Amino acid sequence: MSTELYLCSTPLHILNAVAIASTRQEYEHHIWLIDQPIADNNPYFDILNNWDGSPFKRVNISAGQIKGTKKKLANRKLIFSQLKSYIEEIHPSRIYTGNDRRIEFQYAMHCCAKAKQPASGIYMDEGTFTYVGRAASSSFSDQYVDNLLKKLTYGFWWKNPSTIGGSKWITEVYAAFPHLVHEKLKAKKIISLQEYFVDNNRLEDFCGKLVEYFGASRENIATLTAIITLPHESIINRQSGYSKSMSDTLEILTKDNFRIGVKYHPRNTNPDILNASENSSAYVIPHKIPFEAILPLLPNGIIIGDISSTLINAKWLKPKANLVSIANPEAPMMAEFKYFFSKIGVETISANEVSDYLSKHHTID
């Protein structure tokens, strides 16, 4: 039986890994949570290890985001040693990643090649760069300075991707919107990712366990007919009129008899910056829950979000939902996002237009 290894650093990577592995039952699957802010009492590690329906034979974890150059290098040396031993033990034929710039992924691919048992490198859609590209990858700093430093520090096996998913390690791309992938990915074999999420009971079970871990109720989430998903509180405070516009939107949704979920950014210090909990029609979803884990549990309704990958993920995880993006002039690559949103059916409006837009287009009898 062939073995497949998933290297996941974000909640979306984990969700994609669960979706793919649970539908490829003829293979043995292993998952390694990399670059985690905490390794002890990590919710994803704990859920995957204690989940009877898990598609993974083994779950590993390694900490990242270490402060200080010496400590960071020592940690990376340890992880390389662990990865090398693990690769030699399980001999994966395919290695999945959500970011082929990750040094752990490239080192794992290098280990397989060095052992003369090369693995196929598989890129799992991470939601943004897959479609709009990563402009920094074309910069002088990335192409020459960072590239050379990494080669000298780690080895000449390091490959600098032309964009995320574009490195020579990658042969296949699992994309939510295969026909819209960035030009630099089109030479790869493109596979539709969305099909792995359709009617996937094990994925929904995993999402249910995850939201409950953070103190939410999957029953409450299943009743929500509108979601407001908000950017980091610093953006709300910095952009003039944003907070008032969102509060007004909440009031309009209330008057139109929506059952509203309010999802704040996971790194907020203020858990309810709009005071949404004072609204009896609103359910403030615990902000530590990754937004992607909520989407498979929602009914089809309205999702209002910022200029970010949040709405890209929402479009393919809830394709029948009505999606509205709030324009943010300060957002990086605003024009690229707006263009891509128009391609996938997400309408972009200004913060000042939200209330009027909802009053005209989205009422419930």
Side-chain angles (χ1 to χ4, degrees), residues 153-228:
T153 303
Y154 301 115
F156 279 78
W157 45 263
W158 163 262
K159 301 180 191 301
N160 189 54
S162 57
T163 188
I164 301 297
S167 74
K168 292 181 180 179
W169 293 118
I170 299 295
T171 56
E172 295 180 18
V173 172
Y174 281 74
F177 307 101
H179 61 296
L180 293 175
V181 297
H182 191 268
E183 202 64 36
K184 292 179 179 178
L185 299 184
K186 289 182 178 178
K188 315 287 185 181
K189 180 181 178 181
I190 311 295
I191 300 165
S192 175
L193 179 59
Q194 190 168 10
E195 296 171 10
Y196 291 83
F197 282 79
V198 175
D199 298 324
N200 190 325
N201 294 329
R202 280 210 275 182
L203 177 75
E204 289 187 16
D205 185 38
F206 173 73
C207 289
K209 290 183 180 300
L210 190 57
V211 301
E212 288 170 355
Y213 185 101
F214 286 105
S217 160
R218 70 173 83 182
E219 289 76 22
N220 274 348
I221 289 173
T223 67
L224 301 175
T225 52
I227 293 283
I228 298 175

Side-chain angles (χ1 to χ4, degrees), residues 69 73 76 80 101 103 106 139-160:
T69 303
L73 288 173
R76 192 151 282 175
F80 280 4
R101 288 185 63 84
I103 197 77
Q106 294 212 21
S139 68
F140 179 85
S141 175
D142 248 39
Q143 287 192 72
Y144 300 102
V145 180
D146 183 70
N147 188 16
L148 181 60
L149 283 174
K150 279 190 168 69
K151 287 182 185 298
L152 292 175
T153 303
Y154 301 115
F156 279 78
W157 45 263
W158 163 262
K159 301 180 191 301
N160 189 54

Side-chain angles (χ1 to χ4, degrees), residues 27-62:
Y27 302 97
E28 181 178 290
H29 302 282
H30 296 242
I31 187 169
W32 193 312
L33 310 185
I34 60 173
D35 196 37
Q36 296 300 294
I38 54 168
D40 296 326
N41 299 316
N42 181 288
Y44 307 98
F45 181 78
D46 291 347
I47 290 170
L48 288 169
N49 260 321
N50 295 298
W51 177 29
D52 291 338
S54 174
F56 303 107
K57 183 175 180 180
R58 281 166 64 183
V59 183
N60 294 280
I61 189 169
S62 53

Side-chain angles (χ1 to χ4, degrees), residues 63-79 154:
Q65 304 175 35
I66 307 295
K67 303 287 186 182
T69 303
K70 287 186 177 180
K71 288 183 179 179
K72 186 180 292 186
L73 288 173
N75 180 65
R76 192 151 282 175
K77 185 177 180 181
L78 173 63
I79 293 168
Y154 301 115

